[in-house]
Amino acid sequence: MLKAVILDDEVRGSNLLTRKLEVFGDDLQIEAIFNDPFKALSKIVELNPDVLFLDVEMPGLNGFQFLEKLGSFNFQVIFTTAYDTFTLEALRLGAVDYLVKPIDEDELHTAIFRLKKRVADYTKHIPLTDQNSAPNRLALSTAEGVYFVNKASIMRVEAMSNYSTFYLQDRKKIIVSKTLKEYESVLQGGSFLRINRSVIVNLDHVVKYRKGDGGTLEMNDGAEIEVSASRKDLLMEKLF
């Protein structure tokens, strides 16, 4: 049974979607409905849903800003919106789907089918001990829109003044207007480690360690990154 949360600033909109989702009662249970994005921010992590039905246009905090403020999350997203724009079409690559209001029942069926498949595929490929761990995705807001990035695909994050550059497994780069320090707390633990003042690396993408004062890491994209002497001991604990 998939757990769902609805966030829509209009009561009428959330009620209509709730009624349309009743037909999926054997597969999906609505855990909570929010009409205020700020209230949802403080509750959604605790609810730990499988999917969030997220309205785009909301006063004070739109859907994309909501995900950006949340920072990291481990649920799937289905956008609901009255606007069909190019930006939303691009974001569809990160979300399960987006549904244009008034929501068509056939399109809703397709979205739920995609949702079930994605959740099943994800669950199948992670160990049971990891399934309730920290959120596995980040919302990275750029001038182009919001990218939804799996943490496992991040090779490293490099500081660039007040910006951070994410280097991804597919060799894509995403530049975000937040400092590295802001992401250090989000990425702390697991396979991520800040190895010098300017770089956080995903140790799962390290292919070689070269000895030295602090040493050097070679990443699987060929990049070589110096390790500060003060971080060497912690790195050794993590690597070995």
Side-chain angles (χ1 to χ4, degrees):
M1 177 75 72
L2 299 176
K3 297 189 297 182
V5 169
I6 296 173
L7 173 54
D8 189 323
D9 68 297
E10 295 184 356
V11 175
R12 180 174 177 274
S14 58
N15 287 343
L16 280 172
L17 179 56
T18 299
R19 287 200 292 272
K20 289 187 176 183
L21 288 172
E22 287 176 356
V23 69
F24 305 100
D26 291 339
D27 299 311
L28 186 142
Q29 178 177 326
I30 297 174
E31 294 288 304
I33 299 171
F34 296 99
N35 302 116
D36 182 334
F38 293 98
K39 288 183 179 178
L41 271 177
S42 64
K43 296 288 187 181
I44 195 162
V45 172
E46 178 185 335
L47 289 167
N48 191 30
D50 296 296
V51 60
L52 171 64
F53 290 88
L54 179 60
D55 189 17
V56 175
E57 293 295 326
M58 297 181 289
L61 197 69
N62 68 35
F64 306 134
Q65 292 167 335
F66 174 85
L67 292 176
E68 183 185 359
K69 270 195 172 296
L70 196 60
S72 60
F73 54 96
N74 58 5
F75 51 79
Q76 303 296 329
V77 177
I78 295 177
F79 286 110
T80 60
T81 175
Y83 303 92
D84 184 5
T85 67
F86 175 79
T87 302
L88 293 181
E89 181 66 23
L91 287 172
R92 188 173 184 173
L93 294 174
V96 172
D97 209 336
Y98 71 88
L99 303 171
V100 179
K101 301 175 183 178
I103 295 171
D104 179 82
E105 291 185 4
D106 287 340
E107 291 182 359
L108 182 57
H109 273 82
T110 300
I112 299 300
F113 175 80
R114 287 176 178 160
L115 169 66
K116 290 165 63 178
K117 185 176 186 305
R118 185 175 291 190
V119 171
D121 288 346
Y122 172 72
T123 304
K124 184 169 58 178
H125 289 100
I126 58 174
L128 289 174
T129 54
D130 291 342
Q131 289 181 22
N132 294 314
S133 61
N136 63 76
R137 297 205 295 169
L138 291 178
L140 303 178
S141 181
T142 72
E144 300 171 346
V146 182
Y147 288 88
F148 305 110
V149 175
N150 286 324
K151 286 184 180 180
S153 71
I154 300 170
M155 292 194 293
R156 65 188 184 279
V157 190
E158 295 186 0
M160 186 176 64
S161 185
N162 290 324
Y163 292 80
S164 297
T165 302
F166 283 75
Y167 291 82
L168 306 183
Q169 199 168 5
D170 60 5
R171 296 187 179 271
K172 179 186 290 184
K173 291 195 300 185
I174 299 176
I175 299 175
V176 183
S177 57
K178 286 186 177 182
T179 64
L180 194 68
K181 184 175 179 61
E182 293 178 79
Y183 286 111
E184 186 173 14
S185 59
V186 174
L187 294 172
Q188 68 181 352
S191 58
F192 288 93
L193 180 67
R194 189 167 184 165
I195 60 168
N196 60 43
R197 291 182 60 189
S198 304
V199 184
I200 296 172
V201 299
N202 183 343
L203 299 177
D204 289 339
H205 293 280
V206 171
V207 295
K208 187 175 184 180
Y209 171 74
R210 291 190 177 89
K211 295 178 180 179
D213 185 21
T216 304
L217 291 181
E218 182 181 332
M219 309 300 292
N220 59 15
D221 65 346
E224 295 188 1
I225 306 167
E226 290 188 6
V227 181
S228 66
S230 62
R231 306 294 287 175
K232 182 177 179 179
D233 289 345
L234 183 56
L235 173 64
M236 293 300 101
E237 289 178 18
K238 287 269 191 177
L239 285 177
F240 304 105

